[in-house]
Amino acid sequence: MGQNYRHRYPSVSTDTSDTSRPEATADVTMWWCKAAGVLLQPYCVRTGAHVYRQRICRFLSSSSRPPWRLMFFGSDQFAVESLKLLTSDRNSNERMVENLEVVTLSDDVPVRRFAQQNQLPVHSWPPDDVDGRFDVGVVVSFGALLPERLINKFPHGILNVHPSLLPRWRGPAPVFHTILHGDTMTGVTIIQIRPHRFDVGPILNQELHQVSRNCTADELGSVLATKGAHLLIDTLRTLSERTANKREQGQIGATFAPKVSTSMSWIVWEEQTCDQIDRLYRAIGSRIPLRTTWMGRTIKLLDFVGKCHISLSDQRRTVIPGSVSLQKESNTLAVCCKDGWVGFRTIVLKKRLTAVDFYNGYLHQTLQRNTPGQTAEGLFVSRKGGTEAHQMRDSSTLQSLET
């Protein structure tokens, strides 16, 4: 590679023995890297010629075009889709990958299992023996911030597959927040990572995806994982050109997508609309059950059926957020929220119960009382402090990263 490059650029000297003009050495380093389409971080000339030699040797050992020697950093099933396509690409006619090795944070993750099943070399975190062995790195849903000293060991940098249209939804849970906030358009973004902060690097490639109605976070994540894998291959195919034409992320529209936690699952009947509860269930319902309280006890609400149209036979009954009604025809327990009723078919109170079983075993006598008002026994109650948590969640996810 070094000889070919010197033939193409004969005016560039590769002699690093002369340290009498360190400023000239720095100029040559930056010009050479630009001509080859390789991004290396600028360095202070005071550090001496040994830094120059290290970086130029790293460049000389690297290819400027596919197939690449690639190190993959990943953990979960979303990352497996990209690793799967990279693995199969090695056997294609126009392969993008020559050598593929994997880094994982722990032993029991989908990426490590896939790598072992496909006889890929696996490294524990942090990896060693990286110098001069790889052209480019790829990070997909890894879970750790890569230090600058590691990033600089990859002549073409380290790419990241991110399931959102950056700068919207930077952070660890972009798919969840896409559903929770009702985004109708999302996508995948390939960026070049930078040290110290997640998801702020320059954009190399991006593809839009329209979010289908009633889509869950699991369904959307699966689609974006596939799109992201193919977009990654497309980016690797023209990496030098895309690197040269990269664009920095702006701060306009930047939002943060914090991790999903169980505190998000508490329903605030007085504040949340039917549509908001529907989005919350589609975002986290498959992993964290929605919750409320009844008579001071935690109730888990499963098998969400959406908005219900309720006509109460007892006109004397006062309906307020948290009021409960059984729809026998559909075996649905309907609960009143801010702007209507939403239904669930399964309730967990000590054990799993159908809506009918919960109603007959716990609510029937209360709701049959001949009292004009709504008693506490017939209400689902928002947890104390739930309103504050709901407001905090909304404000934190919509804040700009500049605040």
Side-chain angles (χ1 to χ4, degrees):
M1 175 59 198
Q3 293 177 350
N4 292 339
Y5 194 81
R6 285 193 291 271
H7 177 71
R8 291 176 60 194
Y9 300 96
S11 62
V12 178
S13 172
T14 59
D15 180 13
T16 61
S17 61
D18 181 11
T19 59
S20 61
R21 294 182 60 212
E23 69 282 358
T25 301
D27 291 341
V28 169
T29 302
M30 294 309 295
W31 181 88
W32 194 346
C33 295
K34 182 178 180 181
V38 179
L39 291 184
L40 298 180
Q41 297 292 329
Y43 66 94
C44 179
V45 295
R46 296 176 184 175
T47 60
H50 70 283
V51 176
Y52 166 74
R53 286 196 294 269
Q54 289 176 353
R55 291 188 173 175
I56 217 66
C57 288
R58 197 171 293 144
F59 163 75
L60 291 174
S61 65
S62 173
S63 173
S64 62
R65 62 179 61 87
W68 307 107
R69 298 172 301 168
L70 190 148
M71 176 168 269
F72 184 89
F73 301 77
S75 294
D76 61 15
Q77 191 60 43
F78 182 90
V80 168
E81 291 303 311
S82 289
L83 182 58
K84 187 185 301 182
L85 200 58
L86 291 170
T87 302
S88 62
D89 175 83
R90 292 184 306 167
N91 300 320
S92 65
N93 293 331
E94 298 180 359
R95 58 179 181 161
M96 296 297 108
V97 180
E98 176 183 329
N99 182 52
L100 180 60
E101 300 186 22
V102 175
V103 181
T104 62
L105 287 175
S106 62
D107 292 338
D108 188 26
V109 292
V111 164
R112 180 174 284 260
R113 290 194 292 270
F114 177 88
Q116 291 171 338
Q117 291 167 2
N118 290 272
Q119 292 78 51
L120 297 174
V122 181
H123 302 256
S124 296
W125 175 257
D128 52 14
D129 192 26
V130 174
D131 275 315
R133 298 186 56 235
F134 300 95
D135 304 311
V136 63
V138 170
V139 175
V140 187
S141 193
F142 184 53
L145 197 64
L146 274 59
E148 185 173 10
R149 65 181 181 275
L150 177 60
I151 297 172
N152 289 340
K153 291 181 179 181
F154 294 82
H156 290 269
I158 299 180
L159 311 183
N160 173 230
V161 180
H162 188 81
S164 80
L165 294 177
L166 290 172
R168 184 164 177 79
W169 301 134
R170 295 171 177 168
V175 176
F176 162 78
H177 287 279
T178 295
I179 298 296
L180 180 64
H181 290 84
D183 292 3
T184 58
M185 187 66 68
T186 186
V188 285
T189 306
I190 308 294
I191 65 171
Q192 195 168 52
I193 69 168
R194 285 180 173 165
H196 312 307
R197 291 177 64 190
F198 286 106
D199 307 327
V200 298
I203 295 173
L204 303 187
N205 209 348
Q206 202 165 49
E207 182 176 340
L208 300 178
H209 174 76
Q210 186 169 352
V211 182
S212 61
R213 185 176 178 83
N214 298 323
C215 180
T216 67
D218 288 344
E219 293 166 345
L220 179 60
S222 178
V223 171
L224 295 182
T226 301
K227 279 184 175 289
H230 287 278
L231 193 64
L232 173 62
I233 295 294
D234 178 67
T235 305
L236 290 171
R237 183 174 290 110
T238 55
L239 180 57
S240 295
E241 291 84 352
R242 291 192 178 277
T243 299
N245 294 293
K246 67 183 181 182
R247 59 183 175 91
E248 297 294 331
Q249 293 186 41
Q251 287 304 320
I252 298 176
T255 53
F256 181 61
K259 289 182 179 180
V260 177
S261 67
T262 55
S263 63
M264 295 179 176
S265 67
W266 292 99
I267 299 177
V268 185
W269 303 109
E270 298 83 0
E271 295 187 8
Q272 289 174 286
T273 64
C274 295
D275 186 54
Q276 289 173 327
I277 295 172
D278 174 75
R279 297 200 307 259
L280 179 63
Y281 182 82
R282 288 188 288 114
I284 69 172
S286 65
R287 303 183 184 187
I288 306 174
L290 302 191
R291 296 183 294 174
T292 188
T293 62
W294 177 75
M295 297 290 291
R297 302 156 76 178
T298 296
I299 297 285
K300 296 179 180 179
L301 303 169
L302 311 178
D303 299 329
F304 180 74
V305 298
K307 188 172 184 178
C308 298
H309 300 282
I310 302 300
S311 177
L312 296 177
S313 58
D314 188 355
Q315 300 299 321
R316 296 175 302 169
R317 184 179 172 195
T318 302
V319 175
I320 61 175
S323 298
V324 180
S325 176
L326 177 68
Q327 305 301 293
K328 295 182 180 180
E329 300 80 6
S330 58
N331 188 25
T332 299
L333 194 70
V335 188
C336 182
C337 62
K338 182 179 180 180
D339 67 345
W341 296 75
V342 291
F344 302 87
R345 290 205 172 102
T346 304
I347 291 84
V348 178
L349 176 63
K350 290 187 179 181
K351 63 179 181 179
R352 192 181 183 100
L353 300 167
T354 66
V356 171
D357 290 340
F358 178 76
Y359 178 84
N360 290 335
Y362 294 93
L363 292 178
H364 179 68
Q365 293 182 352
T366 297
L367 297 179
Q368 289 299 311
R369 288 176 181 171
N370 295 319
T371 55
Q374 174 72 63
T375 64
E377 290 84 355
L379 284 175
F380 283 168
V381 179
S382 303
R383 189 181 65 164
K384 186 177 181 180
T387 300
E388 181 181 352
H390 177 62
Q391 293 172 344
M392 184 182 301
R393 179 170 73 249
D394 279 353
S395 62
S396 66
T397 53
L398 291 173
Q399 67 181 341
S400 167
L401 293 184
E402 287 299 291
T403 61

